[in-house]
Amino acid sequence: MTALTPVLSSRWAEPRSWTLETYESGGGYVALAKALKSAPADVIRVVKDSGLRGRGGAGFATAAKWGYLPPDDGGPRYLVVNADESEPGTCKDVPLLMASPHLLLEGLVIAAYATGVRQAFIYLRGEVVHVHRRLLQALDEARAKGYLGRNILGSGLDLEVTLHAGAGAYICGEETALLSSLEGYRGQPRLRPPYPAVSGLYSRPTIINNVETIASLPGILGRGAAWFASMGTRDAKGHAFFSLSGHVNRPGQYEAPFGITLRELIQAAGGMRPGRRLKFWTPGGSSSELLTVKHLDVPLDHESVGAVGSQLGTRGIQVFDDTACVVRAVARWTDFYRHESCGKCTPCREGTFWLTQVLDRIEKGKGTRADLDRLLETCTSIRGRSLCALGDGATMTIVSSLEHFKAEYAAHIDGHGCPFDPRQTALFSSPGAKEADA
Amino acid sequence: MTYSDEARARLDKDAQRILARYPMKRSAILPLLHLVQSEEGFVSPDGIAFCAETLDVGTAEVSAVATFYTQLRRRPAGEYHVGVCTNTLCALMGGDAIWEALRDHVGVDHHGTTRDGKITLERLECNAACDYAPVVMVNWEYFDNQTPESVKELVDDLRAGKDVTPTRGADKVCTFKEVSRILAGFGDGRANEGPSAGPASLAGLETDGGRKGAAS
């Protein structure tokens, strides 16, 4: 049994955990003071030795990303925190920022010091107003105490941080779309290269890191790279949030080392709903291939999940039991991608439009067997043919569900309708719904 | 522009504070759009013109940006924006049933506003609270673990002018205009209201790690 490792969440249960007073009483900003006493290159070395990989989905090594910054040319360079958490199933950054905004700010100052940044931005999705309140207050507190602003803790480091509210667009979680949005344009992705580290915000060198990545830095700098690297697997070190939602008894945030399995997480979450069995799940939000009961013991790290044909992504684990219709689930995710496609690339814009039409008619019992091939062909036409990963993401649950549950699609077509009772999947009882037939 | 002199002076003052946060002024466009929503409850032609003037760009440039983002309203709408998450996870956990019950109860559909101007309904995409499914948002405050009955009561209270309290948020839901001002970057002094975290956020702290469940 892999033990859980609450680190970032360890103080969320404390009264007024979001205040500077509470944060400092638990040793907050001590790691910053320690980091500021060493050279920036030494801070980067600690992060490199820790093995920290980005927590936003791609899992790229954080120190390596920083390493792509060109040498200082005297002009500005920027650090942008991606707090646009919107991937379906992903719900870790919002509770972190609500409960412990200073954890992000402390990590942010450390990252800025390491990378030579004097202006940072936090791009926070707009649809979470209380998180905006908490972060605005935390920024004021940190400025008043000298953790932000000029000559931070006497180190000579100057850093300004701007909190920037998004306005409702999933695509802005994609780093180049985020930059377009932050520059004041429609949030549409850009062709890479050049990568943002070379030419990002205002065409200047820019680092973009996820909230959880940055929030992991105070622990790494405070307790050391070896402590962090003692958790996890060979290639995926440290603690990370595994966000369980759906048909488990206690959905929620489970901080654990990489390599924990879904079987262990479901046990920690008190099991599946009484009398029900696991049917399918997403390891990394809706932009990851569906897995099934066959994959309960796959170690949840980037490499192992990749080896079974999916991806670890954001660790937004959505769990569905045997009351759930996979066609309904996939059709709804596809509606999401059609709605959120920014429209820039034709394969994604048009492809998601066609996919929703075909899935809708299959779900309603009006599809044909030829539609199943049509779905796969359309997915092939989208995948790898757009500037960003949104189009690719739209295809993942479709292709994988056809692989694992083709018979269920066929049942909708041959039976001219959905064989499931939607009332049974709900977490509240509805009149007329059959009781669990365990 | 039809803003009163008083409103215009106030908006200008706020706009200068917003511009000061950015190295390039065009970056201020989203907070300015949130700001004009805080004045009129939607992005009006006046609001577009105000942003364009402030940023020294054309109104078409501002409209092109404003129409990209779903939180920016193109026409007048309700004092309370009630959103039901109907993305897959919430939908299957009961969001679809909540949506149907609410739509029938209120009598307006997706993007519709009640005649009293109180409630606008929207089917939402994922709002990053899947562990609290099914989720409903009122003016971007969280209402966790909802049922059709709880949501009907919620909108009845809003229409009756009663204060309603989010599950994880301020002590009461503020108006859409008030909330838009926070998104423009101006705090309202309510950061210390509400809990640190809800029960699902703390689930990993409370488990004994060995609680047995039927994983398969």
Side-chain angles (χ1 to χ4, degrees), chain B residues 170-182:
Chain B
D171 288 345
K172 67 161 197 166
V173 171
C174 299
T175 66
F176 186 84
K177 290 180 185 176
E178 288 166 342
V179 161
S180 297
R181 186 170 166 79
I182 299 166

Side-chain angles (χ1 to χ4, degrees), chain A residues 1 4 17-18 130 133-134 137 162 164 166-167 181-182 184-186 202 253 267 328-329 332 425 427, chain B residues 21-22 26-27 34 64 69-71 86 88 92-93 96 126-127 131 141 188 191-193 196 207 209 211:
Chain A
M1 186 74 197
L4 299 178
S17 65
W18 60 88
H130 206 53
R133 290 192 183 98
R134 293 259 164 100
Q137 176 170 291
T162 297
H164 183 89
S181 178
L182 184 52
Y185 296 89
R186 294 164 77 89
Y202 316 127
Q253 304 306 315
Q267 277 177 13
R328 179 182 172 205
R332 193 61 61 88
T425 68
L427 297 182
Chain B
R21 300 177 200 147
Y22 298 95
R26 182 157 176 150
S27 284
H34 284 302
Y69 297 92
T70 53
Q71 278 186 289
T86 54
T88 297
L92 269 68
M93 299 304 128
D96 278 353
C126 185
N127 222 92
D131 45 350
E141 296 269 27
D188 65 352
N192 291 331
E193 297 175 8
S196 298
T207 180
R211 202 173 289 217

Side-chain angles (χ1 to χ4, degrees), chain A residues 193-207:
Chain A
Y195 286 89
V198 175
S199 178
L201 188 65
Y202 316 127
S203 302
R204 292 293 306 168
T206 303
I207 291 293

Side-chain angles (χ1 to χ4, degrees), chain A residues 23-265:
Chain A
Y23 188 67
E24 284 183 324
S25 74
Y29 288 103
V30 170
L32 171 65
K34 185 176 163 191
L36 291 176
K37 288 197 182 90
S38 50
D42 294 332
V43 175
I44 294 174
R45 188 172 319 113
V46 173
V47 175
K48 183 169 186 284
D49 291 346
S50 76
L52 176 66
R53 293 168 70 165
R55 299 297 194 243
F60 197 80
T62 302
K65 195 182 218 183
W66 294 355
Y68 289 133
L69 283 170
D72 187 5
D73 63 359
R77 49 175 63 192
Y78 300 105
L79 178 62
V80 181
V81 178
N82 186 342
D84 194 47
E85 181 168 65
S86 310
E87 172 72 23
T90 309
C91 45
K92 62 191 180 71
D93 297 337
V94 160
L96 187 157
L97 294 172
M98 196 181 290
S100 197
H102 283 286
L103 198 51
L104 176 77
L105 298 187
E106 184 178 5
L108 185 50
V109 185
I110 293 170
Y113 177 66
T115 54
V117 163
R118 287 165 171 242
Q119 169 75 57
F121 296 89
I122 301 168
Y123 190 107
L124 174 60
R125 69 179 299 181
E127 302 99 321
V128 287
V129 69
H130 206 53
V131 180
H132 281 269
R133 290 192 183 98
R134 293 259 164 100
L135 258 176
L136 284 168
Q137 176 170 291
L139 285 165
D140 285 345
E141 289 175 321
R143 283 186 198 108
K145 200 70 188 282
Y147 296 129
L148 291 176
R150 298 191 70 79
N151 192 22
I152 294 169
L153 302 182
S155 66
L157 172 69
D158 299 339
L159 178 66
E160 292 301 330
V161 179
T162 297
L163 176 63
H164 183 89
Y170 165 68
I171 188 63
C172 292
E174 195 280 335
E175 63 177 14
T176 63
L178 186 156
L179 293 177
S180 299
S181 178
L182 184 52
E183 288 178 355
Y185 296 89
R186 294 164 77 89
Q188 294 188 312
R190 310 170 183 174
L191 188 63
R192 290 174 297 188
Y195 286 89
V198 175
S199 178
L201 188 65
Y202 316 127
S203 302
R204 292 293 306 168
T206 303
I207 291 293
I208 303 157
N209 285 138
N210 169 259
V211 168
E212 188 186 351
T213 311
I214 295 288
S216 297
L217 294 173
I220 291 170
L221 271 296
R223 303 196 214 183
W227 162 80
F228 190 79
S230 71
M231 292 174 267
T233 62
R234 193 194 65 179
D235 295 316
K237 309 269 192 221
H239 52 80
F241 282 107
F242 293 83
S243 309
L244 255 70
S245 59
H247 289 133
V248 294
N249 275 322
R250 284 191 303 160
Q253 304 306 315
Y254 294 87
E255 248 187 307
F258 286 107
I260 196 169
T261 65
L262 184 67
R263 187 186 300 278
E264 292 170 321
L265 285 167

